[in-house]
């Protein structure tokens, strides 16, 4: 009886410690993404880069996503599944926002500043690789943390896309590499939203039942 009690108490303490560690990591990556959103979006506006603004918007989305993840950490599996579903829908909205930005860019036809794209795209890549490394050990823990890891992984892909677009814009003096990379980022983000929703919605239904 005593052994069972101690075992149960030990598992409970281990779970609480793990949640505390998750919370600390999520707060760190939230701050990184919030700071980088301000810097990168401002640079995207000045540079006139669709890819840079799309990447920055994704960082804002991640900052909000991490906030939701922190809120769900100490709650039930139903709350975690609900948080993951919210993140999936939010990622979908970001993809649609990027599409709107692409349409505006096509109509303007002005090449962006490749130098600013390289500087801030590189800084964003370093920031997101740091976030990915911090979240790596939690990626299979539950649906909430898995969807959070998914967001950071997409950010790294987007950052690489921004750097590729910057080199291509510089080489061809054309806005189309920026537009095409922005469109590719929208597709990647859209697929990610579907993956998160596919995992979260069935679990949410199961928990409700």
């Amino acid at each position: 009886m005593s052994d069972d009690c101690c075992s149960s108490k030990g598992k409970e303490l281990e779970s609480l410690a793990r949640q505390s560690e998750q919370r600390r990591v999520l707060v760190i990556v939230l701050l990184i993404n919030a700071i980088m959103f301000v810097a990168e979006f401002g640079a995207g506006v000045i540079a006139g880069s669709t890819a840079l603004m799309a990447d920055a918007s994704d960082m804002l989305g991640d900052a909000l996503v991490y906030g939701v993840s922190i809120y769900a950490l100490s709650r039930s599996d139903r709350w975690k599944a609900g948080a993951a579903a919210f993140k999936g829908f939010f990622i979908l909205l970001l993809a649609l926002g990027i599409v709107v930005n692409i349409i505006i860019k096509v109509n303007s036809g002005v090449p962006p500043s490749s130098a600013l794209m390289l500087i801030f795209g590189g800084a964003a890549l370093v920031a997101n690789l740091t976030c990915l490394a911090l979240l790596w050990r939690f990626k299979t823990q539950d649906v909430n943390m898995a969807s959070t890891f998914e967001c950071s992984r997409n950010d790294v892909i987007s950052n690489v896309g921004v750097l590729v677009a910057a080199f291509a814009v510089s080489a061809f003096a054309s806005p189309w590499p920026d537009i095409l990379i922005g469109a590719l980022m929208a597709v990647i983000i859209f697929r990610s939203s579907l993956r998160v929703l596919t995992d979260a919605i069935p679990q949410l239904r199961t928990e409700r039942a």
Side-chain angles (χ1 to χ4, degrees):
M1 182 73 175
S2 176
D3 289 342
D4 290 341
C5 179
C6 290
S7 176
S8 176
K9 180 68 70 176
K11 290 179 180 178
E12 182 180 349
L13 291 172
E14 181 182 349
S15 177
L16 289 172
R18 187 166 58 243
Q19 288 177 2
S20 176
E21 189 176 6
Q22 286 181 44
R23 190 180 302 277
R24 180 182 62 82
V25 168
L26 286 172
V27 168
I28 292 171
V29 296
L30 187 158
L31 292 173
I32 291 173
N33 277 268
I35 292 169
M36 283 307 304
F37 161 72
V38 175
E40 192 177 18
F41 192 85
V45 171
I46 295 171
S49 169
T50 297
L52 207 56
M53 285 188 282
D55 193 39
S57 297
D58 192 35
M59 282 194 151
L60 173 62
D62 283 350
L64 297 175
V65 159
Y66 295 138
V68 173
S69 297
I70 292 169
Y71 180 74
L73 273 181
S74 59
R75 295 182 177 269
S76 65
D77 289 340
R78 179 180 174 182
W79 272 97
K80 290 179 180 179
F86 170 82
K87 285 180 275 189
F89 283 116
F90 194 89
I91 295 168
L92 180 60
L93 288 176
L94 284 176
L96 295 175
I98 294 170
V99 171
V100 172
N101 196 291
I102 289 169
I103 294 171
I104 295 172
K105 186 66 178 179
V106 168
N107 291 330
S108 71
V110 178
S113 168
S114 57
L116 285 176
M117 290 177 68
L118 284 170
I119 292 170
F120 286 90
L125 178 60
V126 172
N128 281 315
L129 284 173
T130 302
C131 292
L132 196 67
L134 289 170
L135 291 167
W136 183 269
R137 63 179 178 269
F138 302 116
K139 66 189 178 85
T140 59
Q141 190 156 306
D142 56 47
V143 67
N144 180 44
M145 294 304 292
S147 62
T148 302
F149 178 82
E150 180 86 18
C151 293
S152 283
R153 187 181 64 183
N154 286 341
D155 282 347
V156 171
I157 297 172
S158 297
N159 298 149
V160 173
V162 170
L163 295 177
V164 171
F167 282 113
V169 166
S170 177
F172 299 106
S174 167
W176 282 104
D178 182 57
I179 292 170
L180 293 175
I181 291 296
L184 179 60
M185 289 167 62
V187 172
I188 292 172
I189 294 171
F190 179 74
R191 290 183 60 188
S192 175
S193 71
L194 293 182
R195 189 178 298 113
V196 172
L197 289 171
T198 299
D199 290 340
I201 291 177
Q203 184 169 336
L204 185 60
R205 288 174 177 171
T206 300
E207 294 297 330
R208 284 179 176 176

